[in-house]
Amino acid sequence: MTDFKLSASLEEHDDDIRGVAFPHPKLVLSASRDATVRAWKLLKQKPPQYDCSISSHGSSFINAIAYVPPIKGFPDGLIVSGGKDTIIEVREPGREPDQNAEALLLGHAHNSIRIFSPTGKFLRTVKGSSDVVRALCRVSPGHASGAEFASAGNDGIIRLWKLDGTQVGKLSGHESFIYSLTSLPSGELISSGEDRTLRIWNGDECVQTITHPALSVWGVAACSENGDIVSGASDKKVRVFSRVKERQAAPEVIRAFEDSVKSSSIPKQQVGDVQKEKLPGPGFLHQKSGTKEGQVIMVKEDDGSVGAYQWSEGAQSWMSVGTVVDGVGSSGKKTDYLGKDYDYVFDVDIEDGKPPLKLPYSLSQNPYEAATKFIQDNELPVTYLDQVANFITTNTQGATLGQSSQDPATSDPLGTESRYRPGESASNAPTPPLPSARPKILPQTTYLSIKTANLRTIRKKIEELNEQLSREGEGNAALVDPQLLALERMMEPLEQSLTGSAGAKVDKRLTDGVRLVAEILSTWPAGQLLPALDLLRLLAAATSSLATYRSRDGITFLDVLVESKVFEDPDRPNNIMLSVRTFSNLFETPEGRDFADEEFDTIHTLVEGSTDTSNRNLTIAVTTLYVNYAILLTSSSHSSQQRAIARSKMVMDHLVQIVQNTTDSEAIYRGLVAVGTLLGRNGKELQQAAKSSDNLQKALDKAEQRLKEPRIKAVVGEISALLVR
């Protein structure tokens, strides 16, 4: 599904916009601290233009607004608003502000959620959280969680509930208070809060984050008829957003909004104590991808300022969202766990069917010590140590906030890389005992795959592109009803494959899906192939039908990829990346491994000729593929030992180039694991070839010097031991 973009920015209020409503496509309502309720009527769709009128003028802040649809006696519905004076005013939209309201009600306040029957009878109280509950909304029927309503508040968590008071899920992502919730006709949830963001949630995943050039986004509402949304923020502006291009603002207006976000100032109090000298430089933005939609990091800009950047899953890049400055604003907050304040308390899933374990962490801690304590407290295997420590550093990378005021020489053994360095103590306090030996990394024996996906989004995108082809007169390329039905039917087995045992059997729905994707790749324009390629890499892991696919002319899926010229289009690196992920996922099935073996020369030529080490996702896909080839080429079942050694040398040469040229730690680690697996299991001939050239040793030295991670040091040590045999 496409992203929301700005449709209109409405400016008439004199103070914060505290509440908004979106009754129908031609009417937006807003309530403000300037003591007014305003009605915005749509006059023109393209570009969007609105006429503003004052519906109500009170004596103090107006903080909430709602709309009652037309009922008998009130054909235009009713506007309901309330504020600081605890009076709830009910009036018709067309009534002048100096005229009497239809009704005045006495308001109330409470920290719990109260549920009433349609007749007004009190049924029960639900304790929403340990803090103030600020927002409620109905959840559309069919939500993946089975929830019937959602709540949110000061704890920054959206909680999903049944009407009987049972909590069935929660959504985490906001960095501070959540002020408003609503649901879209699509079933998605929308939230907004103190962290300057409006967030769109599909199931349990945040799929888009819209940062505002304001301190707070107080209110959000959705139009039930067209799915557009409206927000109200502390910068006195009402903004309408739409997914439909025809209802979006002109490109220059959208750019102006994005530029205002980039140039906005973020008070230091809102992010905590930023230690500028410990922040990474702008180069970090090109070396590391974000871990989730909306993740925010801070970097030290070339001019010495501190810039905030937010990860966009849709754009697969970091987007500037402002500059951190000294100033008065909303303060950041700690999270309480067992009576102590932490910067983070992560949920860690160790075993299916059991509740997650809590991993508390403060940015002033050594990640390795926090991981060790977590393992000891929960009696987990010490083999989890590096994994947990890397999880902490990955999810807190980019800034060191809230550092204690101790002497840096004793309080921060991590240096500027925020990584654990063996042999350095964190403080004078006793350190928990560390494991005496790490488990061996080499050789890798388990094939790797890349299968994370949002199938609903992929399907919707294909359907949208198909409609576009039909509108543009590309009738021959557009899918017809039986093909669209095949697309729908393949979703269920694909979803099952993401959580179950992939490739266990042939499913006709997936076989039909393979034929459908091959058809799309053969007929659609290059700029519209991305979602089909995403399906292709999932099919590679889910079914053997992709590896065994042959058209009537004997064409394989690999032939289709070559003919589509995906690998000849460097301007679309994501198309290449998904194709390489497809090759990696082939190793999930025996038939796929046989196909990868038979087509090694073609696959290797395609990959070697298109690797861009500046593209992190592509480089990780390539090194993942080579890990799998390393396992296959060193397996006892390989058909030809001599051919395996020749191919191993080809893979080794390319891996050495990648390790030398890339800066991404994950790509380097996977590349080194592939190298070590090849050296360890293909005998003396390959080791001798490696020794005769100093390229490998240079790559090992460079990796160890550049990256201080324990896992890099460990795998380099194991490879070095193989070379001195």
PDB file of all heavy atoms in Angstrom, residues 621-642:
ATOM      1  N   ALA A 621      22.674  -9.366   0.966  1.00  0.00           N
ATOM      2  CA  ALA A 621      22.058 -10.431   0.166  1.00  0.00           C
ATOM      3  C   ALA A 621      23.123 -11.258  -0.545  1.00  0.00           C
ATOM      4  O   ALA A 621      23.042 -12.500  -0.592  1.00  0.00           O
ATOM      5  CB  ALA A 621      21.081  -9.826  -0.838  1.00  0.00           C
ATOM      6  N   VAL A 622      24.129 -10.593  -1.094  1.00  0.00           N
ATOM      7  CA  VAL A 622      25.200 -11.303  -1.808  1.00  0.00           C
ATOM      8  C   VAL A 622      26.003 -12.189  -0.852  1.00  0.00           C
ATOM      9  O   VAL A 622      26.276 -13.357  -1.145  1.00  0.00           O
ATOM     10  CB  VAL A 622      26.124 -10.297  -2.531  1.00  0.00           C
ATOM     11  CG1 VAL A 622      27.364 -11.014  -3.076  1.00  0.00           C
ATOM     12  CG2 VAL A 622      25.375  -9.606  -3.656  1.00  0.00           C
ATOM     13  N   THR A 623      26.387 -11.649   0.301  1.00  0.00           N
ATOM     14  CA  THR A 623      27.176 -12.454   1.241  1.00  0.00           C
ATOM     15  C   THR A 623      26.351 -13.604   1.821  1.00  0.00           C
ATOM     16  O   THR A 623      26.892 -14.674   2.113  1.00  0.00           O
ATOM     17  CB  THR A 623      27.737 -11.571   2.369  1.00  0.00           C
ATOM     18  OG1 THR A 623      26.685 -10.800   2.963  1.00  0.00           O
ATOM     19  CG2 THR A 623      28.806 -10.626   1.835  1.00  0.00           C
ATOM     20  N   THR A 624      25.042 -13.404   1.977  1.00  0.00           N
ATOM     21  CA  THR A 624      24.175 -14.500   2.419  1.00  0.00           C
ATOM     22  C   THR A 624      24.156 -15.604   1.373  1.00  0.00           C
ATOM     23  O   THR A 624      24.236 -16.802   1.699  1.00  0.00           O
ATOM     24  CB  THR A 624      22.742 -13.992   2.659  1.00  0.00           C
ATOM     25  OG1 THR A 624      22.771 -12.959   3.648  1.00  0.00           O
ATOM     26  CG2 THR A 624      21.833 -15.112   3.144  1.00  0.00           C
ATOM     27  N   LEU A 625      24.044 -15.215   0.112  1.00  0.00           N
ATOM     28  CA  LEU A 625      24.092 -16.202  -0.975  1.00  0.00           C
ATOM     29  C   LEU A 625      25.400 -16.982  -0.944  1.00  0.00           C
ATOM     30  O   LEU A 625      25.412 -18.215  -1.084  1.00  0.00           O
ATOM     31  CB  LEU A 625      23.938 -15.484  -2.319  1.00  0.00           C
ATOM     32  CG  LEU A 625      24.171 -16.344  -3.569  1.00  0.00           C
ATOM     33  CD1 LEU A 625      23.116 -17.439  -3.683  1.00  0.00           C
ATOM     34  CD2 LEU A 625      24.175 -15.459  -4.827  1.00  0.00           C
ATOM     35  N   TYR A 626      26.510 -16.286  -0.711  1.00  0.00           N
ATOM     36  CA  TYR A 626      27.806 -16.969  -0.712  1.00  0.00           C
ATOM     37  C   TYR A 626      28.000 -17.856   0.512  1.00  0.00           C
ATOM     38  O   TYR A 626      28.720 -18.857   0.452  1.00  0.00           O
ATOM     39  CB  TYR A 626      28.933 -15.937  -0.820  1.00  0.00           C
ATOM     40  CG  TYR A 626      29.113 -15.398  -2.233  1.00  0.00           C
ATOM     41  CD1 TYR A 626      29.707 -14.168  -2.461  1.00  0.00           C
ATOM     42  CD2 TYR A 626      28.685 -16.129  -3.337  1.00  0.00           C
ATOM     43  CE1 TYR A 626      29.877 -13.671  -3.749  1.00  0.00           C
ATOM     44  CE2 TYR A 626      28.844 -15.651  -4.619  1.00  0.00           C
ATOM     45  CZ  TYR A 626      29.440 -14.418  -4.822  1.00  0.00           C
ATOM     46  OH  TYR A 626      29.606 -13.938  -6.099  1.00  0.00           O
ATOM     47  N   VAL A 627      27.378 -17.500   1.648  1.00  0.00           N
ATOM     48  CA  VAL A 627      27.388 -18.416   2.792  1.00  0.00           C
ATOM     49  C   VAL A 627      26.730 -19.736   2.385  1.00  0.00           C
ATOM     50  O   VAL A 627      27.242 -20.830   2.667  1.00  0.00           O
ATOM     51  CB  VAL A 627      26.665 -17.796   4.005  1.00  0.00           C
ATOM     52  CG1 VAL A 627      26.418 -18.870   5.071  1.00  0.00           C
ATOM     53  CG2 VAL A 627      27.485 -16.662   4.607  1.00  0.00           C
ATOM     54  N   ASN A 628      25.603 -19.640   1.715  1.00  0.00           N
ATOM     55  CA  ASN A 628      24.894 -20.850   1.299  1.00  0.00           C
ATOM     56  C   ASN A 628      25.684 -21.649   0.269  1.00  0.00           C
ATOM     57  O   ASN A 628      25.727 -22.881   0.323  1.00  0.00           O
ATOM     58  CB  ASN A 628      23.513 -20.474   0.750  1.00  0.00           C
ATOM     59  CG  ASN A 628      22.564 -20.011   1.839  1.00  0.00           C
ATOM     60  OD1 ASN A 628      22.811 -20.246   3.022  1.00  0.00           O
ATOM     61  ND2 ASN A 628      21.488 -19.352   1.462  1.00  0.00           N
ATOM     62  N   TYR A 629      26.297 -20.946  -0.665  1.00  0.00           N
ATOM     63  CA  TYR A 629      27.136 -21.657  -1.645  1.00  0.00           C
ATOM     64  C   TYR A 629      28.334 -22.312  -0.963  1.00  0.00           C
ATOM     65  O   TYR A 629      28.764 -23.409  -1.341  1.00  0.00           O
ATOM     66  CB  TYR A 629      27.613 -20.705  -2.743  1.00  0.00           C
ATOM     67  CG  TYR A 629      26.763 -20.761  -3.996  1.00  0.00           C
ATOM     68  CD1 TYR A 629      26.157 -19.621  -4.502  1.00  0.00           C
ATOM     69  CD2 TYR A 629      26.561 -21.963  -4.675  1.00  0.00           C
ATOM     70  CE1 TYR A 629      25.367 -19.661  -5.642  1.00  0.00           C
ATOM     71  CE2 TYR A 629      25.778 -22.017  -5.826  1.00  0.00           C
ATOM     72  CZ  TYR A 629      25.179 -20.868  -6.303  1.00  0.00           C
ATOM     73  OH  TYR A 629      24.402 -20.938  -7.434  1.00  0.00           O
ATOM     74  N   ALA A 630      28.893 -21.654   0.054  1.00  0.00           N
ATOM     75  CA  ALA A 630      30.025 -22.239   0.778  1.00  0.00           C
ATOM     76  C   ALA A 630      29.628 -23.556   1.427  1.00  0.00           C
ATOM     77  O   ALA A 630      30.381 -24.544   1.399  1.00  0.00           O
ATOM     78  CB  ALA A 630      30.538 -21.250   1.824  1.00  0.00           C
ATOM     79  N   ILE A 631      28.435 -23.603   2.021  1.00  0.00           N
ATOM     80  CA  ILE A 631      27.952 -24.846   2.637  1.00  0.00           C
ATOM     81  C   ILE A 631      27.757 -25.917   1.574  1.00  0.00           C
ATOM     82  O   ILE A 631      28.152 -27.077   1.743  1.00  0.00           O
ATOM     83  CB  ILE A 631      26.636 -24.585   3.396  1.00  0.00           C
ATOM     84  CG1 ILE A 631      26.856 -23.581   4.534  1.00  0.00           C
ATOM     85  CG2 ILE A 631      26.074 -25.892   3.959  1.00  0.00           C
ATOM     86  CD1 ILE A 631      25.571 -23.094   5.171  1.00  0.00           C
ATOM     87  N   LEU A 632      27.136 -25.521   0.452  1.00  0.00           N
ATOM     88  CA  LEU A 632      26.871 -26.491  -0.613  1.00  0.00           C
ATOM     89  C   LEU A 632      28.166 -27.024  -1.225  1.00  0.00           C
ATOM     90  O   LEU A 632      28.321 -28.236  -1.432  1.00  0.00           O
ATOM     91  CB  LEU A 632      26.019 -25.823  -1.699  1.00  0.00           C
ATOM     92  CG  LEU A 632      25.670 -26.692  -2.916  1.00  0.00           C
ATOM     93  CD1 LEU A 632      24.748 -27.833  -2.512  1.00  0.00           C
ATOM     94  CD2 LEU A 632      25.028 -25.850  -4.016  1.00  0.00           C
ATOM     95  N   LEU A 633      29.110 -26.129  -1.510  1.00  0.00           N
ATOM     96  CA  LEU A 633      30.351 -26.529  -2.176  1.00  0.00           C
ATOM     97  C   LEU A 633      31.251 -27.369  -1.286  1.00  0.00           C
ATOM     98  O   LEU A 633      32.147 -28.054  -1.777  1.00  0.00           O
ATOM     99  CB  LEU A 633      31.109 -25.282  -2.648  1.00  0.00           C
ATOM    100  CG  LEU A 633      30.437 -24.485  -3.778  1.00  0.00           C
ATOM    101  CD1 LEU A 633      31.156 -23.163  -3.996  1.00  0.00           C
ATOM    102  CD2 LEU A 633      30.404 -25.305  -5.067  1.00  0.00           C
ATOM    103  N   THR A 634      31.036 -27.333   0.017  1.00  0.00           N
ATOM    104  CA  THR A 634      31.862 -28.126   0.933  1.00  0.00           C
ATOM    105  C   THR A 634      31.112 -29.334   1.483  1.00  0.00           C
ATOM    106  O   THR A 634      31.612 -30.019   2.376  1.00  0.00           O
ATOM    107  CB  THR A 634      32.341 -27.257   2.108  1.00  0.00           C
ATOM    108  OG1 THR A 634      31.209 -26.687   2.771  1.00  0.00           O
ATOM    109  CG2 THR A 634      33.253 -26.145   1.628  1.00  0.00           C
ATOM    110  N   SER A 635      29.905 -29.576   0.972  1.00  0.00           N
ATOM    111  CA  SER A 635      29.132 -30.723   1.458  1.00  0.00           C
ATOM    112  C   SER A 635      29.632 -32.014   0.824  1.00  0.00           C
ATOM    113  O   SER A 635      30.121 -32.032  -0.305  1.00  0.00           O
ATOM    114  CB  SER A 635      27.648 -30.532   1.142  1.00  0.00           C
ATOM    115  OG  SER A 635      27.439 -30.517  -0.256  1.00  0.00           O
ATOM    116  N   SER A 636      29.475 -33.095   1.563  1.00  0.00           N
ATOM    117  CA  SER A 636      29.955 -34.397   1.076  1.00  0.00           C
ATOM    118  C   SER A 636      29.160 -34.893  -0.106  1.00  0.00           C
ATOM    119  O   SER A 636      29.635 -35.746  -0.876  1.00  0.00           O
ATOM    120  CB  SER A 636      29.873 -35.426   2.214  1.00  0.00           C
ATOM    121  OG  SER A 636      28.538 -35.524   2.686  1.00  0.00           O
ATOM    122  N   SER A 637      27.952 -34.373  -0.295  1.00  0.00           N
ATOM    123  CA  SER A 637      27.097 -34.843  -1.382  1.00  0.00           C
ATOM    124  C   SER A 637      27.344 -34.109  -2.691  1.00  0.00           C
ATOM    125  O   SER A 637      26.706 -34.401  -3.695  1.00  0.00           O
ATOM    126  CB  SER A 637      25.621 -34.673  -0.984  1.00  0.00           C
ATOM    127  OG  SER A 637      25.341 -33.306  -0.717  1.00  0.00           O
ATOM    128  N   HIS A 638      28.267 -33.134  -2.685  1.00  0.00           N
ATOM    129  CA  HIS A 638      28.500 -32.391  -3.920  1.00  0.00           C
ATOM    130  C   HIS A 638      29.030 -33.315  -5.006  1.00  0.00           C
ATOM    131  O   HIS A 638      29.886 -34.171  -4.760  1.00  0.00           O
ATOM    132  CB  HIS A 638      29.470 -31.227  -3.686  1.00  0.00           C
ATOM    133  CG  HIS A 638      29.471 -30.231  -4.795  1.00  0.00           C
ATOM    134  ND1 HIS A 638      30.246 -30.362  -5.906  1.00  0.00           N
ATOM    135  CD2 HIS A 638      28.742 -29.094  -4.973  1.00  0.00           C
ATOM    136  CE1 HIS A 638      30.024 -29.345  -6.720  1.00  0.00           C
ATOM    137  NE2 HIS A 638      29.116 -28.561  -6.168  1.00  0.00           N
ATOM    138  N   SER A 639      28.513 -33.094  -6.225  1.00  0.00           N
ATOM    139  CA  SER A 639      28.762 -34.059  -7.302  1.00  0.00           C
ATOM    140  C   SER A 639      30.206 -34.124  -7.766  1.00  0.00           C
ATOM    141  O   SER A 639      30.676 -35.179  -8.201  1.00  0.00           O
ATOM    142  CB  SER A 639      27.861 -33.718  -8.501  1.00  0.00           C
ATOM    143  OG  SER A 639      28.078 -32.369  -8.919  1.00  0.00           O
ATOM    144  N   SER A 640      30.948 -33.036  -7.701  1.00  0.00           N
ATOM    145  CA  SER A 640      32.314 -33.023  -8.229  1.00  0.00           C
ATOM    146  C   SER A 640      33.233 -32.242  -7.305  1.00  0.00           C
ATOM    147  O   SER A 640      33.081 -31.032  -7.156  1.00  0.00           O
ATOM    148  CB  SER A 640      32.330 -32.393  -9.632  1.00  0.00           C
ATOM    149  OG  SER A 640      33.653 -32.149 -10.054  1.00  0.00           O
ATOM    150  N   GLN A 641      34.185 -32.926  -6.691  1.00  0.00           N
ATOM    151  CA  GLN A 641      35.103 -32.264  -5.782  1.00  0.00           C
ATOM    152  C   GLN A 641      35.974 -31.252  -6.510  1.00  0.00           C
ATOM    153  O   GLN A 641      36.204 -30.150  -6.021  1.00  0.00           O
ATOM    154  CB  GLN A 641      35.975 -33.305  -5.079  1.00  0.00           C
ATOM    155  CG  GLN A 641      37.011 -32.725  -4.131  1.00  0.00           C
ATOM    156  CD  GLN A 641      36.366 -32.034  -2.926  1.00  0.00           C
ATOM    157  OE1 GLN A 641      35.188 -32.248  -2.647  1.00  0.00           O
ATOM    158  NE2 GLN A 641      37.126 -31.210  -2.231  1.00  0.00           N
ATOM    159  N   GLN A 642      36.456 -31.619  -7.706  1.00  0.00           N
ATOM    160  CA  GLN A 642      37.320 -30.723  -8.448  1.00  0.00           C
ATOM    161  C   GLN A 642      36.569 -29.468  -8.872  1.00  0.00           C
ATOM    162  O   GLN A 642      37.088 -28.351  -8.795  1.00  0.00           O
ATOM    163  CB  GLN A 642      37.880 -31.446  -9.686  1.00  0.00           C
ATOM    164  CG  GLN A 642      39.229 -30.906 -10.164  1.00  0.00           C
ATOM    165  CD  GLN A 642      40.281 -30.871  -9.053  1.00  0.00           C
ATOM    166  OE1 GLN A 642      40.390 -31.801  -8.254  1.00  0.00           O
ATOM    167  NE2 GLN A 642      41.049 -29.791  -8.998  1.00  0.00           N
TER     168      GLN A 642
END
